[in-house]
Amino acid sequence: MDFERDIAKISGIAAVSTILDVVSRTTGMGFTAVARVTEDRWITCASRDELGLG
């Protein structure tokens, strides 16, 4: 699977950081993400990490 391509596509969408910020503020969650999930993996394509999870 081409995870690099998925990450690049998400990175190219300017609204993603705003969406993650709104979701974080609305839910009170300190970590929000857009991820590609398969049976074997969970790949973060973009995230907002206020918890310092890295």
Side-chain angles (χ1 to χ4, degrees):
M1 297 195 174
D2 192 357
F3 296 110
E4 299 281 333
R5 185 189 69 188
D6 295 335
I7 293 168
K9 283 183 177 181
I10 295 301
S11 296
I13 302 171
V16 169
S17 62
T18 301
I19 292 167
L20 292 174
D21 182 55
V22 169
V23 170
S24 179
R25 291 172 189 262
T26 302
T27 64
M29 300 297 290
F31 181 86
T32 54
V34 173
R36 169 76 188 280
V37 180
T38 69
E39 290 183 20
D40 306 326
R41 293 182 156 172
W42 192 94
I43 305 295
T44 301
C45 296
S47 67
R48 182 176 190 271
D49 182 6
E50 295 294 318
L51 302 176
L53 297 174

